[in-house]
Structures are given as structure tokens and as C-alpha cells.
Amino acid sequence: MLRSVIWDVDGTIAETERDGHRVAFNAAFEQFDLPWRWDVPTYGRLLAVAGGRERLLRDMQDRVDAPRTIAARLALATSLHATKNAIYRTLVDTGRIVWRPGVLRVMEECGAAGILLAIATTTSRSSVDALITCALGARGAERFAAIACAEDAPAKKPDPLVYRVVLDRLGFGPDEVVAIEDSPNGWRAARAAGIATVVTRSDYFRTADVDGASACCDDLDATLTWRGGSAPRTDVATLAAVLDATNAAAWPARRHGR
Ligand code: XBP
Ligand code: MG
């Protein structure tokens, strides 16, 4: 039985990466008088690294003008990241980021059906709060039964830790929830936690591999397909069907210890 829908944030709830985090990182570089800039394709490649601070440290490995010691790099990445997050919040607060099609509808349908909402993300809590507030108001976070972010799970996706933290807070097993994700790092994290996952492809991952996910769509208002079924859009009934199909496929493997 479907008890909770666990939402990824960046790319899933909104297209935050290209026009939000990337723009904010570039503005932070400018504030620090650094000549570094991440164009759209470069940032897309860097998304292989989950976590903004980790992304900065990865990028510094390829820069001749990056600080030389590890300690200096860590200090710079921490300061840049804090500045980026402040700029990102302003972008969200001023309406630069809109929620993706169908997200609010599916959340409201879940609420009406008594299915708990949760969040599992590698992004910072301040960025999550800004995004929730912009669409759901100041008390929007109260609609979520559990929210786990970068601060709760230092091992970032594709590590399953953030999903395990959310399951623990919800008190549900992995076979009682569905995750909604947009990226390979995201659905791999959910799958490693044993959770059925719907991939709603975001701009940066239109053609990414989704073979190991339970179901896939271009957005939540578009056709959803899974092994054994399809539906014109994602809703509570289709999420329950995806969960049933995933559990039915997993059950023989569990029984045989695979
Ligand atoms: C996506 C991420 C994050 C964001 C930036 O997280 O990897 O790092 O790009 O946010 P998810 P921070 O898809 O799990 O929401 O700078 O706060 O890390
Ligand atoms: Mg994502």
C-alpha cells in the first residue's frame, strides 16, 4: 500500500539547476573577484557531482588558479557555497524559479488521499525552504511529514543515505513509498534504498539512462510508462500501480535472497 511519496527537489520540483544554482554560482564567483564562470554545458557535466560544495571542489581540481592547499580550497568552497546559497534564495524569492508541471497537483492529490509527503534531497535546507515557500507559502514545510537535506545526510546521492533517513523519520518500509526523481544520481540513490522510483526527466537529463528506474515521464502532466503499464499522466492511482508493479517484480528476488 502506498503510504508516502518522497520528492527530490532540484530538477524534480522545479528546474532549479540551469537558471537557479548555476546563475547563483556565477554571481558568487563575480562577488569573489574570480574569473570562473560555468556555462550551461559545463554545469551540466558538473552535475555528475552531487552537492554544490563538492561540485566546487571537483571543478577546482582542473583550475590552475585554484588555491594550492586542500585547506584553502575547502575554505574557499565553503565561503563560495554560502554566498551562492544566499543569491539562490533571492532568485527564488523574486520569482525566477517556477514549479514544474503537475507537481503541485500530485502533492494536493496525495494530501487528499492521506498519502504523506516527504523530501529527500542533497541540496541545502535553506534552498529547500525558499522553494517551498515560493509556491506553498510561509508554512508550506508543514505539509511534509519528513524533510531530509544535505545537512541530514553528508553522503550525497547516489548514496542511499538521505532516503534511509527519510524512511526512518516516516517509519515506513521501502515497499510502502514511491520516490520521484529527475537524475541518474537520484534514482540510483532511491533504488539502492529499495524504493520504487518515477523519473520525471528534467532539462539536463532528457536523454539520461533510466533503465533501472520503475517508471519514466517527461513531466508529471505527460505520459507515464512503467513495466506493464502506461497512463496519460502521473497521479495517486498511477503511483500506486507503479509501486505494486515494482514490489511484484522485486518479491521473487527477495524470496530467493537475490
Ligand atoms: C541536486 C544537487 C544540489 C544542487 C545545489 O540535489 O546536487 O547540489 O545542485 O544545491 P537534488 P547545494 O537533485 O537531490 O535536490 O548547492 O545546496 O548542494
Ligand atoms: Mg534532482
Side-chain angles (χ1 to χ4, degrees):
M1 185 182 158
L2 178 60
R3 293 182 180 278
S4 176
V5 174
I6 306 176
W7 297 79
D8 168 50
V9 172
D10 293 306
T12 296
I13 291 182
E15 288 285 1
T16 51
E17 296 290 14
R18 191 192 56 196
D19 303 327
H21 291 295
R22 185 189 68 89
V23 171
F25 274 118
N26 284 335
F29 296 148
E30 205 172 336
Q31 279 193 23
F32 279 63
D33 284 327
L34 287 164
W36 307 347
R37 297 292 180 272
W38 286 343
D39 61 21
V40 172
T42 302
Y43 191 70
R45 285 190 293 277
L46 286 167
L47 283 179
V49 181
R53 192 163 162 275
E54 290 81 353
R55 201 167 292 142
L56 284 163
L57 289 166
R58 172 65 192 83
D59 187 60
M60 284 185 208
Q61 289 175 12
D62 297 335
R63 292 197 181 272
V64 287
D65 56 347
R68 296 181 67 168
T69 66
I70 300 283
R73 286 184 185 195
L74 286 170
L76 178 59
T78 300
S79 308
L80 277 170
H81 190 239
T83 302
K84 183 279 286 183
N85 278 353
I87 297 167
Y88 175 83
R89 282 197 300 274
T90 307
L91 290 176
V92 175
D93 291 348
T94 52
R96 288 279 298 273
I97 308 289
V98 292
W99 281 30
R100 291 189 64 195
V103 171
L104 206 47
R105 172 183 59 75
V106 174
M107 285 186 180
E108 286 186 341
E109 287 172 8
C110 286
I115 293 163
L116 298 186
L117 298 176
I119 283 178
T121 174
T122 54
T123 203
S124 312
R125 178 69 197 228
S126 64
S127 300
V128 177
D129 285 338
L131 199 63
I132 289 174
T133 304
C134 87
L136 300 178
R139 300 185 64 179
E142 293 172 17
R143 292 213 209 172
F144 295 85
I147 298 180
C149 316
E151 290 84 346
D152 305 291
K156 305 281 166 71
K157 299 172 186 176
D159 191 288
L161 179 63
V162 72
Y163 277 101
R164 294 201 171 121
V165 170
V166 168
L167 287 176
D168 195 49
R169 290 183 185 169
L170 288 170
F172 296 150
D175 55 349
E176 297 176 295
V177 306
V178 170
I180 305 187
E181 278 282 358
D182 70 301
S183 68
N185 277 341
W187 68 252
R188 288 191 177 116
R191 189 182 62 171
I195 296 172
T197 310
V198 170
V199 173
T200 172
R201 292 180 178 281
S202 59
D203 282 348
Y204 269 123
F205 299 106
R206 286 278 156 219
T207 57
D209 169 28
V210 290
D211 276 356
S214 307
C216 179
C217 58
D218 284 341
D219 64 56
L220 299 181
D221 281 344
T223 305
L224 179 72
T225 53
W226 65 96
R227 206 167 293 143
S230 79
R233 64 182 195 170
T234 300
D235 57 21
V236 165
T238 54
L239 290 171
V242 169
L243 179 64
D244 286 348
T246 308
N247 285 344
W251 189 76
R254 284 188 189 132
R255 186 172 49 145
H256 292 109
R258 278 184 273 132

